[in-house]
Amino acid sequence: MSRFAEPVFVAAGLRTPFGRGGGALAAYDTVSLSVPVVQAMAEHAKPDLVVWGTVIPNLGWSNIAREVWLDAKLNPNVPAFSVVLACSTSMTATFAAAGMLGGGTDLTLVGGGEVMSRPSLALTPEASKRLTDLFAKDPAAALAALQALTPRDYVLPTKGWANRITGRTMGDHMEETAKAWSISREAQDDWALKSHQRAVAGWNAGFFDDLVIPLTELKRDANPRSDTSAERLAALKPAFDRDSGFGTLTAGNSSPITDGAAACWVANAVGVAKLPSDTPYVRLVDYEVSAVDLHNEGLLMAPSYGIPRLLARHGLSYPDIALWEIHEAFAAQVLANVAAITDRDWVRTKAGVDQDMGQFDWDRVNPNGGSVAIGHPFGATGARDLSQAVKELWAQPVGSRAIVSICADGGQGTVALLERV
C-alpha cells in the first residue's frame, strides 16, 4: 500500500559542507550558497522542476527557488517554486514535489539552504508604515526619518529565532519539555557524544564523500568534533535555563548555528532512469505532517503524533523499521519524542493509535550522526536528512524500511516512510 498511485522515489543528492555560524561560509547569502549545490546536481541530471526553500525571511527575494536556479545559469525554461515549514522546509518540499510528478514532470530537484550567520534585520510594522507613508508624501522627510530610526524601530534577533506567539526560543521550550519528560542532562550529553562520534566516523570512513561537494572555503563539515568527550560536554553551562539551577540544554547537546545548503531528487520511474546508474534511491511509501498544541504538549513534539500514525496506517511497528533518521534539533528533543512514542498511553490518547508498537531499537538511530554534530541550517536539514537516510538504507537488504522524522517550530513535524527497492 502506498499513498501514491504510481511509485515515487527519493534519490540521494548533494550538499555543501555545513559551516559553523560566523565561520567559513558566513560571507555567502542563502541564494549564493545554494547555487553550487544546484549546479552540481544539474551536472548529474536535468530536472523538470525545482522546489527550494529557506526559513529566515529576506526581502531581497520572494521566490528563492527561482532566484537560485537563474543565478546558477541553468535552463530558464525549468519552473521553480519555494516552500517553507520551519525546520521541515526541504522535507515538505519533497512531499510537494512527489504530488506533482506526472504529466511530463518526472524528475524534481528539491532542497533548501540557510545562512544563519546573516539574518536580515527588519523594521517593525509601525516603523515600516511610518516610512512608507512618508516616502509617498515627502521623500525628504522620509530620508530624515530613516536616519532618525532607533533600535526600538527594528526587529532584532536578540532572542535568536523565537516563536512569534510565545516569544520564547526553541531551546526555552525544549527545556520545559525535557523537564516534563524527565530527560536528564546525562542522557542528553550521552546522545550528543554519540552524534559527534558517529559523524566523525562517517567522515573518516568516506560515507559523506559522495554526498558533500567541497567549497573553496570549506571541504567538510565544521561542526563534528573528534575531540569532544563526556567530560567536556558535562563541563558546559546551560544555554537556555541559566537561572533555575536545573537547566540541562547546553551548546554541546543542542544543534549549533549553522550555514549550509542541501538537495535531493524526487522522481517517478522515468525520472530515476535519468539519474546516474550508481545513484542510491528508495521508494517514498507515505508521509505524515502532524501538529500539536505547542502550549501543552511541547513545541517540538509533533513527530510523536506522526510516527505512530504513519506506521499504523501500514500495519507496521517499531521493529519493522531498520533505520531511523531523526533530526536532532536538541538531544533532548530526540529523547523526548522517543519516550513519547514508546509510552503506550501517549500513543493511544495523543496519536490515536491503539496498538502495541513494539520495542524501539536505539542502535538503528542516526548511524552517521545527526544535527547536534553535523549542524542544522533550517532550510537544508530535510534534504540532508533524506539524502543521508537514502544512502544508509541503500546499503541494507531490499524491503528494508526507514523512518525520517523532523520536528518544526510552531508545534509541527514531518515524517517519511521509505523502503529499499
Side-chain angles (χ1 to χ4, degrees):
M1 181 179 67
S2 173
R3 171 184 287 265
F4 309 102
E6 300 293 334
V8 172
F9 304 97
V10 178
L14 299 168
R15 64 176 176 89
T16 67
F18 283 3
R20 292 176 185 163
L25 305 182
Y28 287 89
D29 62 21
T30 305
V31 171
S32 61
L33 188 57
S34 300
V35 163
V37 176
V38 301
Q39 287 175 330
M41 293 282 283
E43 289 179 3
H44 291 181
K46 307 305 179 188
D48 304 308
L49 175 69
V50 177
V51 188
W52 204 260
T54 192
V55 177
I56 301 171
N58 188 307
L59 291 178
W61 56 73
S62 61
N63 181 4
I64 188 174
R66 186 64 172 166
E67 303 289 346
V68 169
W69 187 252
L70 293 180
D71 275 13
K73 303 294 190 291
L74 295 164
N75 182 1
N77 298 123
V78 175
F81 72 92
S82 305
V83 299
V84 59
L85 200 168
C87 307
S88 288
T89 287
S90 48
M91 180 182 268
T92 304
T94 300
F95 301 159
M100 297 180 71
L101 293 174
T105 299
D106 302 312
L107 181 64
T108 303
L109 193 162
V110 168
E114 213 78 57
V115 178
M116 298 176 70
S117 297
R118 295 179 61 182
S120 295
L121 300 183
L123 294 177
T124 64
E126 295 78 14
S128 180
K129 184 178 188 306
R130 187 168 72 246
L131 286 171
T132 53
D133 287 350
L134 273 174
F135 271 113
K137 299 174 183 177
D138 188 344
L143 288 173
L146 187 63
Q147 292 175 326
L149 290 172
T150 71
R152 288 185 300 178
D153 294 315
Y154 290 92
V155 179
L156 298 171
T158 52
K159 284 206 70 178
W161 290 273
N163 179 273
R164 183 190 67 82
I165 293 172
T166 67
R168 302 166 65 206
T169 67
M170 286 181 278
D172 295 332
H173 279 274
M174 198 62 235
E175 274 283 13
E176 183 179 86
T177 304
K179 292 177 176 65
W181 285 93
S182 301
I183 307 297
S184 71
R185 166 71 183 271
E186 292 74 20
Q188 294 174 53
D189 286 351
D190 180 65
W191 187 256
L193 180 59
K194 287 185 173 71
S195 187
H196 280 276
Q197 290 173 335
R198 291 171 181 178
V200 169
W203 270 105
N204 292 342
F207 173 82
F208 293 102
D209 289 354
D210 57 359
L211 296 177
V212 177
I213 56 169
L215 300 176
T216 302
E217 301 85 355
L218 192 63
K219 306 302 182 187
R220 60 185 281 173
D221 295 330
N223 291 308
R225 300 184 65 97
S226 60
D227 61 348
T228 195
S229 65
E231 292 74 21
R232 289 191 175 190
L233 289 168
L236 296 173
K237 295 181 179 180
F240 300 99
D241 180 0
R242 298 186 176 98
D243 301 322
S244 75
F246 299 101
T248 59
L249 274 70
T250 70
N253 58 40
S254 306
S255 60
I257 301 298
T258 309
D259 304 327
C264 61
W265 297 106
V266 179
N268 56 22
V270 174
V272 167
K274 297 179 180 180
L275 297 172
S277 60
D278 59 349
T279 305
Y281 68 94
V282 301
R283 187 165 68 102
L284 174 61
V285 178
D286 200 356
Y287 63 87
E288 182 85 9
V289 181
S290 53
V292 299
D293 179 349
L294 63 90
H295 298 287
N296 296 309
E297 290 154 348
L299 185 77
L300 303 180
M301 292 298 289
S304 70
Y305 280 40
I307 291 170
R309 288 172 179 170
L310 180 56
L311 293 178
R313 195 153 62 236
H314 294 268
L316 300 172
S317 58
Y318 302 148
D320 295 315
I321 303 305
L323 168 70
W324 299 82
E325 193 68 38
I326 303 177
H327 163 51
E328 300 169 353
F330 306 91
Q333 170 259 321
V334 178
L335 298 170
N337 272 278
V338 174
I341 67 172
T342 53
D343 181 325
R344 183 76 182 273
D345 185 61
W346 177 275
V347 171
R348 183 178 64 255
T349 60
K350 300 292 187 179
V353 174
D354 190 13
Q355 72 178 64
D356 183 0
M357 301 302 291
Q359 294 294 312
F360 185 88
D361 189 347
W362 279 102
D363 291 334
R364 300 178 181 183
V365 182
N366 298 359
N368 287 284
S371 299
V372 163
I374 295 171
H376 175 32
F378 296 151
T381 287
R384 194 275 300 170
D385 272 342
L386 284 165
S387 286
Q388 194 162 317
V390 167
K391 184 173 179 182
E392 289 161 349
L393 193 59
W394 186 252
Q396 301 205 28
V398 171
S400 299
R401 303 180 186 90
I403 284 286
V404 184
S405 169
I406 300 180
C407 61
D409 185 26
Q412 301 192 92
T414 53
V415 185
L417 174 61
L418 309 178
E419 183 178 46
R420 171 71 164 92
V421 290

